[in-house]
Amino acid sequence: MSRREIGRHPGAGVGYGSEGCPGSAMTDHKKLKRLVRDRMAATGESYTTARWHITSKTKPQHRVSKLLATALDDEYSEAMITGLAGGIGFMYAVFEYKGMHPLMTIMAQHHPDPWVPAVLNRLNVSFVEQHSGKAEAGIAKLRKATRPVFAEVDRSALPWHEPSPWAGYDPYTVLVVEISETVSLIDVDRHELSIEDFSKAWSAYRKGKHHAIVMGTAGKPDLDKAVSDAIQTTVDHMTGPVLGNNFDVNFGFSGMSKLADQLRDTRTKAGWTKRFGDTDHGTKRLYECLEEQNTAPGATRPLYADFLDEVGRAEAAKLFKQSGAAWSRLAKKAKMSKDYPAMAEIVDECLDLESRAVELLRQPR
C-alpha cells in the first residue's frame, strides 16, 4: 500500500432490482456519493479522504457496516450492508470465570458468521484473507495492497479505547486506508498510528493475529439473490439451530426466552436476582450490548428495518421498528433500575413482535 490511499474498486454502480423500494436511507447515501465525488474533483483527494472530510462529524449506526460502505465507495447504504451481512440475530450467554464477576453477553446482530466476508461474498467482490506469523511480514503484505484492507485488531490495544480485562480476546475490525511512515485507519473516526503501535494492536488479538481481508475486484452481483439469501439466513438463525450443538439454546428466539426466564428467576443461581443482585454488572452490560457494542442502537432492529424497507418488505420492517424501540426502552430501563421482572416483560414484547416479523419474512415474495 503506497503513500497514496486506496482507490475506488471497479465494477461499482449496481442498484437493487425490480423488487426494490428505495427509501430515505438509499437517497441519503446517493447524496453522500455525489458530495464525495464533487470534493474529489475539486481537491484531487482519494475517495476515502474526501468522504472522511465530509462525514467526520457523522457517526455510523453500525460501525462495521459503515466501514464496508466506505470501502465499497457507498454503492450501498449502511442499512443494505447490514441486511446483506445477515442483519439481526440474538445470542445470550453468561460466562463465569474464577475471581471475576459474571460476564453477560448479548450479540444482537447476526452471529456467528463473520460480517465482512458475508457481505463481500454476497456482493460478488473478491477478497483474500491474509495471515502472517510476524507483524513485519504482515505490514509488508499490506503495503502491496491497492484496495481497502480490513484488519482485525484487539480493541483494548488501540490508544483511544479504554483498557479491558479481556485484552487479547477482544477482536475489533478497522479499515486500513494508508500505510507510509504511519498507518492511517478508520475506526469510527480516522486515526494515525505509528507502525509500532498498529503492530502491537494487530498482534494483541491472539486468535486472529495479523489477520487481514484484502479486497479485490468486484463482479456484477445478483442482488435479488443476495437479499433473498441474507433474509433466509436471518430467519434460520432466529429460529435455529445455528451451531448444531447444545449451545444453540442461547441463540435466536430460544435465547430471548432464556433471557426473559432468567430475569424473572428469583430462586436459582442462574437468575439475575442471585447472579447480579443490586450490582450493575448485568444491567451495564445489557445497555452496552443493546445500544453500543457489536450492534446498532435498538439491538440493530431499526437499521435492519431500514434494509427491509429498501427491499420492499414494509410489513416486517414495521414490526422490527417496534421491537427496536422496545429494546432501546429496555436498555434505558437497565440504566435506571434493577427491576428485572419489568425488563422480562419487555423481552417478551420483543419476542412476540419479532416472531410475527419472521413469519412474514418466511412468506415467499
Side-chain angles (χ1 to χ4, degrees), residues 281-296:
H281 296 323
T283 52
K284 181 181 178 182
R285 286 291 296 160
L286 194 58
Y287 180 87
E288 292 172 344
C289 293
L290 296 177
E291 294 289 310
E292 298 177 339
Q293 296 183 5
N294 297 309
T295 188

Side-chain angles (χ1 to χ4, degrees), residues 153-194:
V153 301
D154 189 276
R155 174 177 15 207
S156 61
L158 295 172
W160 52 91
H161 285 282
E162 295 181 0
S164 167
W166 310 106
Y169 302 92
D170 194 13
Y172 197 70
T173 300
V174 296
L175 184 66
V176 177
V177 296
E178 181 185 354
I179 297 182
S180 55
E181 293 79 17
T182 61
V183 177
S184 178
L185 60 84
I186 301 174
D187 175 349
V188 173
D189 299 312
R190 184 164 172 160
H191 300 270
E192 298 285 335
L193 278 178
S194 68

Side-chain angles (χ1 to χ4, degrees), residues 41-314:
T43 65
E45 294 167 339
S46 70
Y47 189 93
T48 50
T49 295
R51 186 187 191 283
W52 182 79
H53 280 293
I54 291 170
T55 65
S56 59
K57 294 182 180 179
T58 303
K59 302 302 181 186
Q61 295 183 68
H62 188 276
R63 195 186 64 84
V64 178
S65 292
K66 182 58 73 177
L67 294 181
L68 274 156
T70 301
L72 294 168
D73 290 2
D74 293 299
E75 291 298 329
Y76 307 93
S77 69
E78 186 179 339
M80 179 64 76
I81 294 292
T82 297
L84 291 176
I88 62 164
F90 199 87
M91 186 204 77
Y92 163 70
V94 181
F95 301 97
E96 310 236 8
Y97 301 95
K98 187 176 181 179
M100 299 183 68
H101 61 73
L103 177 66
M104 192 283 295
T105 294
I106 290 173
M107 187 70 73
Q109 67 183 33
H110 176 70
H111 185 72
D113 297 338
W115 205 258
V116 174
V119 172
L120 297 181
N121 279 324
R122 288 192 172 108
L123 290 177
N124 195 25
V125 178
S126 67
F127 62 92
V128 175
E129 295 199 54
Q130 296 181 348
H131 299 269
S132 301
K134 295 184 178 181
E136 295 84 354
I139 293 292
K141 290 180 181 179
L142 294 190
R143 288 187 185 278
K144 296 177 182 178
T146 58
R147 295 189 173 91
V149 176
F150 297 91
E152 197 166 38
V153 301
D154 189 276
R155 174 177 15 207
S156 61
L158 295 172
W160 52 91
H161 285 282
E162 295 181 0
S164 167
W166 310 106
Y169 302 92
D170 194 13
Y172 197 70
T173 300
V174 296
L175 184 66
V176 177
V177 296
E178 181 185 354
I179 297 182
S180 55
E181 293 79 17
T182 61
V183 177
S184 178
L185 60 84
I186 301 174
D187 175 349
V188 173
D189 299 312
R190 184 164 172 160
H191 300 270
E192 298 285 335
L193 278 178
S194 68
I195 298 291
E196 180 182 4
D197 285 345
F198 173 76
S199 296
K200 287 179 180 177
W202 202 25
S203 301
Y205 175 48
R206 300 171 188 176
K207 291 180 65 176
K209 187 179 291 188
H210 311 139
H211 175 255
I213 295 177
V214 182
M215 285 177 53
T217 58
K220 184 177 180 180
D222 182 342
L223 203 51
D224 285 348
K225 182 177 183 300
V227 167
S228 178
D229 179 69
I231 289 175
Q232 188 60 53
T233 297
T234 302
V235 169
D236 290 345
H237 283 202
M238 290 301 293
T239 56
V242 176
L243 300 176
N245 58 37
N246 291 337
F247 198 71
D248 274 335
V249 69
N250 299 296
F251 280 91
F253 295 145
S254 174
M256 291 169 65
S257 294
K258 182 177 179 180
L259 171 60
D261 289 344
Q262 291 188 354
L263 283 166
R264 288 193 176 92
D265 183 355
T266 60
R267 296 182 300 103
T268 74
K269 64 180 182 179
W272 279 51
T273 299
K274 291 187 179 296
R275 178 172 265 161
F276 298 115
D278 290 331
T279 73
D280 65 357
H281 296 323
T283 52
K284 181 181 178 182
R285 286 291 296 160
L286 194 58
Y287 180 87
E288 292 172 344
C289 293
L290 296 177
E291 294 289 310
E292 298 177 339
Q293 296 183 5
N294 297 309
T295 188
T300 313
R301 272 58 178 172
L303 189 59
Y304 187 64
D306 289 343
F307 159 73
L308 292 176
D309 275 332
E310 281 194 34
V311 300
R313 306 300 294 264

